[in-house]
Amino acid sequence: MTLPTKKSRSLARAALAMSIVCGGCGAAPEEAAGEPATTTAGRTVTFEEFLGTVHQEADGRYIYDGDMPAYSMGELRQAWERMYPPNGALTAFPYNAYTDDVWPASTKLNITYCISNGFGTNKQAVISAMSAAGSAWAAKALVNFVYVPSQDANCTSANTNVEFDVNFATSTDTLASSFQPLTPRPQRTLYIYSVAFNPGTGWPLSGLLMHELGHVLGFSHEFRQPGASCTEGGGGRPITPYDSGSIMMYPWCGGSNTSTLSQSDMEGATQQYGSRVWTNAVSPGGCGAFPGGKGLDRGQTLSSCNQRFYLQHLPNGNLHLVKVDYTPTGSIHTEYWSSGTANQAGYGMYMQTDGNLVIYTGLGRAIWNTNTWGNPGSYLAVQNDGNLVIYSPSGQPLWNTGTGGQ
Ligand SMILES: [Zn+2]
């Protein structure tokens, strides 16, 4: 990253001290413990919950956030949007037109590196900061950065005993630079420049390296997404909505965080590499129905028994129902319905044993559900007529997509 000529930092907003549970979403099969749930609105506080904290003065003014006035519902809504931006963050570097740039499964749990002795008296600080940064990404996502000190004496880009080398160079305007997962080995050097060790850069070394390891994992700058105050070309696939709290922001481009991964950074990383804290959905196999406890993982499908329709949890987290029309030369696939959850890090779709159909992120945060909890024994049917229906054990339809009669 390159330092701007003029910097400004905004302060991170204090963490919200209230815990909000996704009302009635219930637990997914084999729920992992300890992850905070949030509402399905994609914000930590819904507008309705925010209104619950607002009071109105005798003169008609609304007072929010303790002492802030608003003169209309529209102003209140704007205030809420400012105070609680949507969760979300990462954008994947493209490898080509079809695939993201990610580490292969054979390497992602053993991404090895050496640290050059050229860091001199700063070397111990680099060792510690690399360890903290690697551990932050590996805390929730199925990746591991592994330091190999035995290669430090020969820690150059020509060393093929490690996946990458961490090296020192002199610069007055660049803090650090890195590379993307499928970059050829001779270019896989993470440089930390001399200026990064000066006090007052605005980036703690461990936070700076979290940002650089984000690039190493295949994530581009967050400010490629709409809403950011800086722009950068190059495309990329948004994995999650825009998030000013992402470590992949710059503080001088509206970023509010230089020291930790945001929730959506972690959700995006689990989306790309798999989760340590949330279980994959288990497909029921066969055709036509999901009993409680089954679901679809990213990319998986289940067809109606006449093979004319299929339900698919796309790798981008969207759940969609597709009609297949067979032609003499092949087949035409038409989307009939979708959950509208693309690019929100939807990790899997789970038909819960309580009757609720829920899409969770890789941290166990519910982003969408059918509100049909409290009906144990219900199942989800992918019908031959094109309708997607949740039936109670007595055969009552509880929810459907309204796409039947095909
Ligand atoms: Zn960067």
Side-chain angles (χ1 to χ4, degrees):
M1 84 177 38
T2 302
L3 284 169
T5 50
K6 189 178 174 190
K7 280 187 296 184
S8 66
R9 293 189 63 195
S10 55
L11 292 172
R13 205 183 155 71
L16 189 72
M18 53 192 295
S19 168
I20 293 160
V21 176
C22 178
C25 281
E30 304 168 62
E31 180 186 27
E35 294 303 327
T38 58
T39 68
T40 55
R43 296 172 190 256
T44 53
V45 172
T46 67
F47 185 55
E48 290 69 27
E49 288 162 344
F50 171 68
L51 284 183
T53 69
V54 172
H55 71 272
Q56 197 167 14
E57 296 287 323
D59 62 4
R61 291 180 308 153
Y62 298 100
I63 304 296
Y64 67 92
D65 203 16
D67 58 1
M68 299 298 291
Y71 295 89
S72 68
M73 268 292 162
E75 279 191 24
L76 269 183
R77 193 161 186 100
Q78 286 172 10
W80 166 70
E81 286 172 355
R82 282 196 309 273
M83 289 174 68
Y84 305 109
N87 300 311
L90 293 185
T91 302
F93 281 123
Y95 177 61
N96 57 32
Y98 309 103
T99 59
D100 297 335
D101 195 343
V102 292
W103 288 93
S106 56
T107 313
K108 69 177 187 177
L109 290 172
N110 191 32
I111 307 172
T112 52
Y113 63 91
C114 56
I115 297 176
S116 167
N117 291 331
F119 284 104
T121 55
N122 286 321
K123 186 177 176 189
Q124 192 55 49
V126 173
I127 292 171
S128 300
M130 279 295 294
S131 174
S135 298
W137 285 107
K140 311 290 186 195
L142 282 169
V143 295
N144 279 324
F145 289 97
V146 179
Y147 175 37
V148 187
S150 61
Q151 300 297 320
D152 285 0
N154 183 30
C155 191
T156 70
S157 61
N159 186 334
T160 54
N161 293 323
V162 286
E163 296 294 336
F164 70 98
D165 51 289
V166 181
N167 257 290
F168 176 79
T170 300
S171 172
T172 55
D173 61 0
T174 303
L175 292 169
S177 64
S178 54
F179 57 91
Q180 296 169 220
L182 298 175
T183 304
R185 173 63 187 98
Q187 284 91 51
R188 287 207 297 260
T189 296
L190 195 167
Y191 280 106
I192 307 172
Y193 297 97
S194 48
V195 69
F197 299 100
N198 294 349
T201 62
W203 283 77
L205 191 59
S206 60
L208 174 67
L209 293 176
M210 277 178 215
H211 178 101
E212 298 306 325
L213 291 185
H215 290 318
V216 169
L217 289 174
F219 304 122
S220 71
H221 286 138
E222 184 66 14
F223 48 79
R224 284 189 176 182
Q225 293 196 23
S229 58
C230 296
T231 57
E232 184 176 88
R237 183 177 72 84
I239 302 172
T240 69
Y242 170 67
D243 174 18
S244 63
S246 171
I247 197 70
M248 301 313 290
M249 286 288 291
Y250 283 167
W252 47 88
C253 295
S256 57
N257 169 32
T258 54
S259 58
T260 58
L261 300 188
S262 70
Q263 171 180 277
S264 52
D265 288 335
M266 293 186 275
E267 287 177 336
T270 61
Q271 179 80 357
Q272 292 296 78
Y273 290 103
S275 177
R276 293 186 195 277
V277 295
W278 194 250
T279 52
N280 292 339
V282 178
S283 174
C287 65
F290 288 86
K294 300 292 185 180
L296 292 176
D297 216 8
R298 298 172 306 296
Q300 289 186 330
T301 61
L302 189 84
S303 294
S304 62
C305 289
N306 64 0
Q307 304 297 315
R308 289 182 59 227
F309 300 90
Y310 63 86
L311 186 65
Q312 180 179 32
H313 186 77
L314 289 162
N316 70 9
N318 204 14
L319 179 67
H320 72 169
L321 181 67
V322 177
K323 183 183 182 191
V324 187
D325 288 303
Y326 296 95
T327 68
T329 53
S331 57
I332 299 168
H333 297 242
T334 309
E335 183 176 273
Y336 259 49
W337 170 87
S338 103
S339 59
T341 52
N343 310 325
Q344 295 177 38
Y347 192 77
M349 159 228 147
Y350 304 79
M351 183 61 205
Q352 297 185 164
T353 53
D354 68 356
N356 206 8
L357 180 65
V358 187
I359 298 174
Y360 285 97
T361 71
L363 297 189
R365 181 174 66 90
I367 58 173
W368 180 90
N369 79 98
T370 55
N371 274 312
T372 49
W373 51 281
N375 295 284
S378 299
Y379 67 99
L380 175 67
V382 185
Q383 297 190 166
N384 287 341
D385 71 347
N387 211 4
L388 187 64
V389 186
I390 296 175
Y391 287 103
S392 75
S394 63
Q396 291 296 312
L398 302 173
W399 175 90
N400 77 96
T401 52
T403 50
Q406 304 296 321

